[in-house]
Amino acid sequence: MAKNSFQALPGTRDLQSPDTDRMRALVAVFADEVSAAGFGQIVQPMFEDVRVFDRLGEASDVVAKELYAFEDKGGRHIALRPEFTASACRMFAELRPLTPWKAWYSGPAFRYDKPQAGRYRQFDQVGAEVIGSHDPDVDTELIALASRFYQRLGLTDVTLLMNSLGDAADRPRYLDALRGHFEANLDSLSEQSRTTLAVNPLRVLDSKRREDAALIEAAPVLRDYLSDEAASAFARVCDGLDSLGVAYEIAPRLVRGLDYYTRTTFEFAANSLEGAQNAVGGGGRYDGLVADLGGPDEPGVGFALGVDRTLLACDAEGVFDAPETTMDVWVVSTSDGLEALAITEELRRAGLRADRNFDGRSMRAQMKAANRSDAAIAVIIGEDEVADQTVTIRPLRTEGDQVTVARAQLVPAVKEMRQS
Ligand code: AMP
């Protein structure tokens, strides 16, 4: 490597067109869906006081190992956001908007994860949160919204996994049972999971280590420990999904990676992707998180979808291609004057996609660029056109003759040819 050359850091990527066009289009589809459902966009800071994220769970990998945390020059302990929900709750607690507060977001999140296909240290999420309602129909609406979004992208092979984690009061009895189960079989548990067990037995269910699989399979399930209220709320969500025709599977051991979830939890798995990286999105209820962050005791529910992984799933299913970004017009000028500059600007102001060459290239080189650009039309200005105050308009992709029109007729003539 040459002395002064740098590369993007592990787990980060440089994206350019058409990948960026595709990502923007995906966010636009999401924005369209959430706006139509009454959500307003929020933009949160990319970094927060590190304590905002502590509630994600000291036994969760996201906090224990993956946080980009550091001290800033003012001596503050801050962290790059590893996800959006905690900072949305901090924002709600601080601004106290009217409830129910329906907010959506998009942007990058940061986790010091082990980089591999579909797992990055900087990745993008889109998501939606509703704060201020206990109604399980809100959970149903959010899940239906996410699945509608996947459908609009064209994805068909995505499985919705559903579980309920119960209320805070249901937890201790279940955790005792779970701890008892794992402690009775400590020898068969991975060393990593033994450490996790001491901090939070629930997290052991999240282990993807092969040696833990059998023991996790045999573990007691939370569903058997739900309070009547939590059980009937979950039944209502399932009934709602049934009534909307949204298919799902009950996954009794789905706990998800963050500690704040209560009641409904769900995950979307893309069957077209590798097992370990097939989660394209997920979410759930987090009643209690807003109060924990110093806000009023308002319940919340939401989801976040991984943009990068969703696009990988789109690749695997061969859907949601990058949108067309070809030019309408390529301006070719062999005059030395300012005509090309003025004409390109005029076309763009008229709403046409127009580009041109620079650096005094030859006519041949400019026509080659016009063809490479996929532009439908070339607008040509040579010495004759400059002298006569005209422009020549030539179709590049269709049969038909070029026309020379008065300079003032540029835009209408281009638009007419574009439509023919
Ligand atoms: P989580 O907040 O962990 O539930 O993540 C929500 C979604 O974000 C996941 O389902 C993934 O699609 C995506 N995601 C999480 N971590 C990463 C990562 N390190 N790289 C890429 N995508 C990720």
Side-chain angles (χ1 to χ4, degrees):
M1 203 197 298
K3 227 182 183 168
N4 286 324
S5 71
F6 296 101
Q7 290 178 329
L9 289 168
T12 69
R13 292 157 310 144
D14 298 311
L15 297 174
Q16 57 178 334
S17 181
D19 293 338
T20 44
D21 302 316
R22 196 174 179 221
M23 198 179 225
R24 203 170 63 246
L26 179 142
V27 175
V29 171
F30 187 76
D32 198 45
E33 282 296 339
V34 283
S35 309
F39 289 76
Q41 186 178 13
I42 55 171
V43 175
Q44 300 138 274
M46 286 200 203
F47 53 87
E48 296 269 358
D49 187 313
V50 71
R51 289 169 296 181
V52 169
F53 303 116
D54 283 347
R55 207 14 196 92
L56 304 180
E58 53 178 343
S60 80
D61 281 355
V62 171
V63 172
K65 291 187 247 152
E66 297 170 2
L67 216 52
Y68 275 93
F70 51 95
E71 199 179 307
D72 75 4
K73 291 186 199 302
R76 291 176 203 88
H77 293 277
I78 64 177
L80 301 184
R81 64 179 176 213
E83 55 104 60
F84 290 68
T85 305
S87 82
C89 291
R90 193 271 310 144
M91 180 173 176
F92 179 89
E94 190 172 336
L95 303 182
R96 306 282 168 114
L98 288 177
T99 56
W101 189 56
K102 297 174 74 172
W104 76 274
Y105 51 76
S106 74
F110 307 86
R111 295 181 192 175
Y112 195 78
D113 224 330
K114 193 171 161 218
Q116 51 202 290
R119 193 173 287 282
Y120 314 108
R121 291 181 174 168
Q122 177 178 332
F123 57 97
D124 271 66
Q125 289 188 336
V126 292
E129 315 283 346
V130 179
I131 295 181
S133 171
H134 286 286
D135 194 333
D137 284 2
V138 175
D139 310 26
T140 312
E141 269 208 33
L142 277 164
I143 295 167
L145 171 61
S147 77
R148 205 157 62 237
F149 169 67
Y150 288 133
Q151 258 170 25
R152 253 187 79 178
L153 298 181
L155 290 172
T156 52
D157 203 5
V158 175
T159 304
L160 166 61
L161 303 169
M162 295 279 300
N163 193 19
S164 173
L165 293 185
D167 291 315
D170 307 338
R171 248 2 122 68
R173 284 188 306 132
Y174 175 62
L175 291 184
D176 283 349
L178 202 56
R179 196 177 290 114
H181 168 74
F182 287 127
E183 279 175 356
N185 299 282
L186 262 190
D187 290 350
S188 338
L189 211 56
S190 68
E191 201 185 318
Q192 189 85 32
S193 289
R194 265 179 262 161
T195 313
T196 313
L197 180 63
V199 195
N200 184 351
L202 207 58
R203 274 281 80 71
V204 177
L205 297 181
D206 219 19
S207 160
K208 300 272 193 295
R209 285 168 206 95
R210 213 173 306 136
E211 58 264 47
D212 296 331
L215 216 49
I216 289 175
E217 191 59 39
V221 295
L222 222 164
R223 211 156 25 123
D224 297 335
Y225 293 80
L226 294 187
S227 64
D228 290 348
E229 295 78 26
S232 76
F234 189 58
R236 172 81 187 185
V237 178
C238 294
D239 286 350
L241 292 174
D242 290 340
S243 76
L244 297 176
V246 176
Y248 58 91
E249 285 173 17
I250 302 284
R253 289 180 186 83
L254 175 72
V255 290
R256 309 204 12 84
L258 308 168
D259 273 359
Y260 54 63
Y261 286 112
T262 54
R263 296 199 171 191
T264 316
T265 40
F266 54 93
E267 198 156 280
F268 291 94
N271 304 313
S272 54
L273 297 181
E274 278 289 311
Q277 264 77 246
N278 74 352
V280 285
R285 263 204 177 263
Y286 45 82
D287 302 346
L289 183 56
V290 177
D292 264 9
L293 289 167
D297 191 11
E298 293 283 3
V301 53
F303 65 77
L305 311 179
V307 169
D308 314 85
R309 264 192 224 170
T310 299
L311 287 172
L312 288 175
C314 289
D315 287 339
E317 288 200 35
V319 296
F320 200 69
D321 290 335
E324 289 280 323
T325 50
T326 50
M327 288 290 122
D328 293 311
V329 187
W330 199 268
V331 177
V332 172
S333 167
T334 52
S335 86
D336 282 339
L338 293 171
E339 293 80 11
L341 203 58
I343 281 176
T344 312
E345 178 75 9
E346 191 176 331
L347 291 165
R348 289 177 186 160
R349 285 188 188 181
L352 290 154
R353 288 175 296 187
D355 204 357
R356 54 171 288 217
N357 288 103
F358 298 95
D359 303 306
R361 314 273 304 275
S362 69
M363 172 79 164
R364 225 183 93 151
Q366 292 189 52
M367 286 310 296
K368 219 165 137 183
N371 281 313
R372 212 178 26 233
S373 78
D374 279 345
I377 293 168
V379 167
I380 302 163
I381 317 127
E383 297 303 334
D384 291 349
E385 282 85 358
V386 173
D388 301 345
Q389 296 269 312
T390 57
V391 286
T392 295
I393 303 174
R394 180 188 295 176
L396 295 173
R397 318 273 152 220
T398 50
E399 297 296 315
D401 296 330
Q402 66 181 37
V403 291
T404 298
V405 299
R407 172 75 176 73
Q409 290 306 307
L410 168 72
V411 168
V414 166
K415 285 192 169 165
E416 194 187 323
M417 187 177 283
R418 189 80 186 86
Q419 269 150 26
S420 65

